Amino acid sequence: MNRLDGKVAIVTGGASGIGRATALLFAEAGAQVVVADIDGAGAEETAKQIVASGAAAVAVQGDVSAEEDCRRIVRTAVDTYGGLHVLFNNAGIIRRTTVLDLDADEWDRVMAVNVRSVFLMCKHAVPLMTEGGSIVNTGSGWGLKGGGNAISYCASKAAVVNMTRALAIDHAKAGIRVNSVNPGDTNTPMLRDEARQLNEDWAAFEADAADRPMGRSGSPEEIAQAVLFLASDAASYVTGSALVVDGGGLA
């Protein structure tokens, strides 16, 4: 049941990290994948990897905080593959600051990319989804508890987690499930960017990220497996859930 045969999936933030790993896994599981990212070259590279494996994919360059781009991404899925069954809202950014060092424009950008994008993608995707559709939104462990030097990120991911619950309630009768996956520290370009923002040595930062019961940070492929579960019929009775995938860190 952990398959997506014959289904059409959109992955935002698909140029790298968790998005790329999930797009590749969705294709391996039988999906036709629309890879969307503001980094058009990165999205193209992900799509090329999928096509090289013998599966179907198309890349779309777009800013998911812009409504017209969201509409275009959704229409690409329907026009290219004839439908839409899975939406993975994964695009996100982080700013590692306290409230004292964060200006209003930076706050607005984090909220636009991390929260507004989920609203816009769902607004345009839900009317075109058939019964049995699945939406997975990327939250964070810091959407369920606080974290230091990340006020805008924590606020945005808490919004994603609770928006997911509201969406799940609203669209259950239409047969659409909505869940969030909430990773802990995962070895992605974003994690390395956090170290750079905090002016910390990568080796020390990585060691701190591994300070959890399982003794290591996660891999993008491990988070992708959790997303595939939520997207697939294996999770047919799961909606409104906030699945934590963090090696025991939140525990």
Side-chain angles (χ1 to χ4, degrees):
M1 295 179 70
N2 215 28
R3 297 282 304 174
L4 298 175
D5 294 301
K7 294 189 176 182
V8 180
I10 293 173
V11 176
T12 71
S16 64
I18 292 169
R20 174 170 286 180
T22 303
L24 293 170
L25 185 61
F26 278 2
E28 184 181 329
Q32 301 166 94
V33 185
V34 175
V35 183
D37 204 290
I38 197 167
D39 174 6
E44 287 282 359
E45 179 56 32
T46 300
K48 285 179 182 177
Q49 289 185 35
I50 291 172
V51 171
S53 74
V58 62
V60 183
Q61 191 280 333
D63 179 352
V64 289
S65 70
E67 183 165 15
E68 185 51 44
D69 284 7
C70 292
R71 184 184 289 110
R72 180 166 51 85
I73 291 165
V74 171
R75 288 306 320 175
T76 297
V78 175
D79 292 346
T80 305
Y81 298 120
L84 177 60
H85 308 91
V86 176
L87 169 61
F88 180 33
N89 285 311
N90 172 68
I93 59 174
I94 189 168
R95 295 291 179 265
R96 293 301 306 269
T97 66
T98 69
V99 70
L100 301 177
D101 299 318
L102 184 73
D103 64 42
D105 287 343
E106 288 180 309
W107 169 274
D108 289 344
R109 185 58 183 162
V110 171
M111 290 296 166
V113 177
N114 294 4
V115 183
R116 176 181 165 89
S117 67
V118 176
F119 156 68
L120 289 174
M121 288 299 299
C122 289
K123 178 178 177 62
H124 293 289
V126 167
L128 300 176
M129 285 186 128
T130 59
E131 184 173 354
S134 176
I135 297 171
V136 183
N137 301 320
T138 297
S140 169
W142 279 358
L144 299 166
K145 65 183 288 293
N149 293 298
I151 182 171
S152 57
Y153 185 79
C154 292
S156 70
K157 291 304 184 179
V160 169
V161 170
N162 217 33
M163 180 164 36
T164 297
R165 297 182 180 120
L167 286 161
I169 293 166
D170 287 343
H171 303 293
K173 286 184 172 60
I176 298 171
R177 297 181 299 104
V178 191
N179 295 286
S180 66
V181 63
N182 296 272
D185 287 334
T186 306
N187 197 339
T188 64
M190 181 183 284
L191 192 67
R192 290 178 177 271
D193 185 54
E194 288 184 61
R196 181 191 60 76
Q197 289 183 43
L198 294 168
N199 294 313
E200 292 189 16
D201 173 74
W202 168 244
F205 190 84
E206 187 178 30
D208 185 61
D211 184 19
R212 58 193 63 240
M214 290 187 70
R216 62 178 178 83
S217 57
S219 72
E221 292 74 19
E222 288 174 312
I223 311 304
Q225 289 288 348
V227 179
L228 176 59
F229 164 70
L230 292 172
S232 75
D233 290 342
S236 59
Y237 196 53
V238 182
T239 198
S241 174
L243 177 59
V244 177
V245 188
D246 72 344
L250 199 62

